[in-house]
Amino acid sequence: LATALAGLGALFARPTAAQTPGADRGGGWVAIRTYQLKEDADRATLLTLTEESFVPLLRDQPGFVAFYVLEPTPLSWMAVTVWQTQEAA
């Protein structure tokens, strides 16, 4: 599933992926959250802050497999997390 999402991300403006080293890539639970950005939002800064602060927190969580950011439109993005189990999510 994580591999399929990574391929899907290539269709959008800027996929960002992070995986736990050695994690089972066959994660069993996916959470997708969508966000609508304000027109004056600094997307580059938002993604940088996410990569530098939020993703490391996710990596430390038990059951974490992967995180992706998909950008289907200029003012929206989707945060996708992949987990080994629903309980971990």
Side-chain angles (χ1 to χ4, degrees):
L1 183 57
T3 304
L5 285 171
L8 179 63
L11 300 175
F12 298 97
R14 181 177 182 227
T16 300
Q19 290 190 310
T20 299
D24 176 5
R25 293 179 186 227
W29 188 260
V30 175
I32 301 172
R33 292 170 178 83
T34 59
Y35 300 90
Q36 190 66 32
L37 305 177
K38 294 180 180 181
E39 288 192 33
D40 62 346
D42 183 347
R43 293 173 67 96
T45 298
L46 179 61
L47 288 171
T48 298
L49 290 173
T50 299
E51 291 170 348
E52 291 176 355
S53 60
F54 183 65
V55 172
L57 293 173
L58 287 176
R59 282 191 182 122
D60 290 340
Q61 301 306 306
F64 172 75
V65 176
F67 174 82
Y68 302 93
V69 171
L70 307 175
E71 298 179 69
T73 71
L75 292 178
S76 65
W77 73 322
M78 300 168 70
V80 180
T81 53
V82 182
W83 302 87
Q84 291 176 347
T85 65
Q86 181 177 359
E87 293 76 26

